[in-house]
């Protein structure tokens, strides 16, 4: 369908930029921050308004592009399709809220803003794999269905590992669990974007 391939390529570009910014954000913080025991939000709060926050916004916008592209491929299914789009919308909202509202500095008491940041992140982390599982039912995404289901299951398992680490596990390797979780969730978005990018010829933009 005209424009769908362009939308997929736009989303892939956004995912790539967000990934690069996140890596840069890890390199710019001080050496006292341990990526295995501290979350990405802990890294972001050390550089408020920095590249990690921008990366979250870019990833949210890439997801919006995917939603637009999915709509162009055809109407969603009667129930699961609309639910999948709502879950992706919840992922976008959670990412944007987490980017705007800071968590607390590592080792300090939780504030109201920090709790808001935490629960926005929880909503985002759970909404995306659930949405990815439902998206696997769409005929247009059949080429990626197995990947979507596998990545969704892996994401939910890693989310469970994060919950365990955050409470009874005394935050043991919570940073590693979160980064693996984000990797699988970005994989869900990438799988959808690749299908859209391969869906047909890109439209040409003419001027004059």
């Amino acid at each position: 369908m005209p424009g769908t391939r362009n939308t997929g390529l736009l989303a892939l570009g956004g995912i790539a930029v967000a990934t690069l910014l996140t890596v840069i954000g890890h390199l710019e913080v001080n050496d006292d921050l341990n990526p295995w025991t501290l979350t990405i939000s802990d890294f972001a709060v050390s550089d408020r308004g920095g590249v990690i926050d921008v990366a979250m916004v870019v990833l949210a916008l890439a997801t919006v592009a995917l939603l637009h592209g999915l709509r162009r491929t055809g109407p969603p299914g009667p129930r699961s399709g609309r639910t999948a789009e709502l879950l992706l919308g919840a992922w976008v909202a959670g990412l944007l809220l987490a980017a705007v509202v800071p968590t607390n500095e590592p080792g300090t008491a939780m504030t109201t803003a920090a709790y808001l940041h935490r629960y926005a992140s929880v909503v985002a982390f759970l909404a995306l794999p659930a949405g990815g599982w439902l998206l696997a039912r769409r005929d247009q995404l059949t080429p990626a269905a197995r990947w979507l289901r596998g990545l969704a299951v892996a994401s939910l398992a890693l989310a469970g590992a994060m919950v365990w680490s955050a409470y009874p596990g005394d935050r043991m390797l919570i940073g590693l669990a979160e980064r693996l979780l984000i990797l699988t969730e970005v994989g869900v978005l990438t799988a959808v974007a690749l299908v859209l990018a391969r869906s047909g010829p890109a439209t040409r933009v003419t001027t004059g």
Side-chain angles (χ1 to χ4, degrees):
M1 181 171 290
T4 302
R5 183 170 185 261
N6 287 337
T7 304
L9 292 173
L10 179 64
L12 285 173
I15 292 169
V17 170
T19 301
L20 177 61
L21 290 175
T22 301
V23 171
I24 293 173
H26 279 70
L27 297 176
E28 288 188 343
V29 297
N30 66 68
D31 294 335
D32 295 332
L33 298 182
N34 186 339
W36 309 124
T37 58
L38 295 176
T39 65
I40 290 178
S41 295
D42 294 329
F43 274 66
V45 77
S46 70
D47 182 26
R48 288 309 306 165
V51 292
I52 291 179
D53 296 315
V54 175
M56 295 167 69
V57 174
V58 171
L59 191 58
L61 294 177
T63 307
V64 172
L66 286 182
L67 283 168
H68 178 67
L70 288 170
R71 280 298 180 95
R72 293 180 70 91
T73 63
R79 179 173 298 180
S80 63
R82 286 192 291 269
T83 302
E85 292 184 357
L86 287 174
L87 288 168
L88 287 183
W91 154 263
V92 170
L95 268 186
L96 292 176
L97 188 58
V100 172
V101 180
T103 188
N104 58 300
E105 292 279 356
T108 62
M110 292 284 289
T111 62
T112 300
Y115 278 112
L116 183 59
H117 176 97
R118 171 181 290 182
Y119 292 117
S121 300
V122 169
V123 168
F125 285 152
L126 294 179
L128 182 59
W133 180 271
L134 294 178
L135 284 176
R137 301 178 181 179
R138 290 186 65 140
D139 292 339
Q140 301 93 332
L141 297 177
T142 297
R146 181 177 298 180
W147 279 101
L148 289 173
R149 292 191 181 98
L151 289 167
V153 170
S155 296
L156 291 174
L158 288 165
M162 273 198 71
V163 171
W164 177 86
S165 178
Y167 295 100
D170 196 28
R171 294 180 65 86
M172 183 177 69
L173 295 179
I174 191 170
L176 175 60
E178 185 196 46
R179 284 161 178 81
L180 291 175
L181 170 60
I182 292 174
L183 184 63
T184 58
E185 299 205 336
V186 169
V188 171
L189 298 175
T190 302
V192 176
L194 284 172
V195 173
L196 295 182
R198 296 170 179 170
S199 62
T203 56
R204 293 184 177 179
V205 178
T206 58
T207 60

